Amino acid sequence: MIDLSSFDVSQILPFIAVGFAAQVIDGALGMAFGVISSTMMVSLLGISPTRASAGVHFVEMFTTAASAISHIAHKNVDWRLFGRLVIPGLIGGVMGAYVLVLNADIARPFVMAYLTGVGVYLLWRAFHTPPKAHRARIVAPLGLIGGFLDAAGGGGWGPIVTSNLLIQGVEPRKTIGTVNTAEFFLTVSVSATFIAAMGFAALTIVTGGLLIGGVLAAPLGAVLAKRVQPRTLLILVGIVLTATSAFSLWRAVAA
């Protein structure tokens, strides 16, 4: 837990900035809060993958709860797709959290390789258009892999699951609403796993900073979503993720 007796506001400012930047991008794209936050904390601020993922998922319990309520109210959720997605996602998320807790040092190069791949994938998605809408065929394996990589990498449920469902031709409105609603249950299960394995040491100054920054940035992200082309933001996110993660991967392998 955060030790308030020796609290220095300058310690939390970098994490507020990370949460703010990540939420601006997430608010404009509908994905990537976890990926951006984890990449910046691990690659640029030197936070361990385990603590970065734990902090991100705790914060996302609040952001995804609000998102899920909104999507349900606007009837954006395909409940049949939700049922096929959420259980495999929970299983994958718990597995990924335990792997990261037990093998934090070993996992670092693999986490960076994964995040590099996500950056390249987002760049690819920026220049491709999904096919016409129809029902998804591959859902359960996608939820399992997305949940696992989200917990082990500190983020990626949105980019992995949403983009793949869009590639399969699911209606964008239903895809975003269903994936975001399922993500709430994923983040709760992953956060519970981290706390069970690490105790409340999983909740640190990182968590508070991300939460403050994310809340402050929420209105700005909505404005950008209206005024900036999604393709432009995807390209920028892909470049940042690929560059920072590839550098961190090289540093981890060379060490």
Side-chain angles (χ1 to χ4, degrees):
M1 297 290 288
I2 300 174
D3 182 9
L4 296 178
S5 62
S6 58
F7 179 75
D8 181 357
V9 69
S10 64
Q11 296 176 345
I12 200 173
L13 289 179
F15 305 110
I16 293 177
V18 169
F20 187 91
Q23 184 57 44
V24 167
I25 295 171
D26 191 271
L29 295 178
M31 61 177 71
F33 178 85
V35 174
I36 292 290
S37 298
S38 296
T39 300
M40 295 182 71
M41 287 193 295
V42 174
S43 301
L44 303 180
L45 299 178
I47 305 300
S48 72
T50 304
R51 292 189 179 276
S53 187
V56 165
H57 283 93
F58 183 81
V59 171
E60 284 187 324
M61 285 196 300
F62 299 92
T63 59
T64 58
S67 178
I69 292 171
S70 178
H71 281 296
I72 293 172
H74 288 87
K75 299 181 179 180
N76 291 338
V77 179
D78 181 336
W79 291 108
R80 181 176 179 180
L81 178 61
F82 172 85
R84 297 170 62 192
L85 187 63
V86 67
I87 300 301
L90 294 178
I91 295 172
V94 171
M95 290 171 56
Y98 271 116
V99 166
L100 189 59
V101 168
L102 296 175
N103 302 282
D105 294 333
I106 297 175
R108 186 180 180 88
F110 297 99
V111 171
M112 289 302 100
Y114 156 65
L115 292 175
T116 301
V118 170
V120 173
Y121 181 73
L122 289 177
L123 283 172
W124 182 87
R125 284 292 302 146
F127 297 100
H128 291 75
T129 303
K132 294 182 179 180
H134 56 77
R135 188 175 298 277
R137 294 184 178 181
I138 303 174
V139 177
L142 181 61
L144 184 68
I145 295 171
F148 180 87
L149 292 179
D150 189 86
W157 173 261
I160 294 295
V161 180
T162 299
S163 295
N164 277 278
L165 288 176
L166 290 174
I167 288 174
Q168 294 184 60
V170 180
E171 181 185 355
R173 179 175 66 88
K174 291 290 187 179
T175 296
I176 294 171
T178 304
V179 171
N180 283 355
T181 301
E183 187 176 15
F184 167 70
F185 295 92
L186 172 68
T187 55
V188 170
S189 66
V190 172
S191 295
T193 302
F194 277 124
I195 292 173
M198 300 170 59
F200 284 97
L203 307 181
T204 65
I205 193 172
V206 174
T207 307
L210 289 178
L211 185 58
I212 294 171
V215 170
L216 291 175
L220 181 57
V223 172
L224 288 177
K226 294 181 179 180
R227 300 188 178 183
V228 180
Q229 290 294 325
R231 174 175 292 183
T232 300
L233 289 174
L234 276 175
I235 293 173
L236 294 174
V237 172
I239 291 173
V240 171
L241 283 178
T242 303
T244 57
S245 300
F247 174 75
S248 184
L249 175 62
W250 171 80
R251 188 172 58 183
V253 172

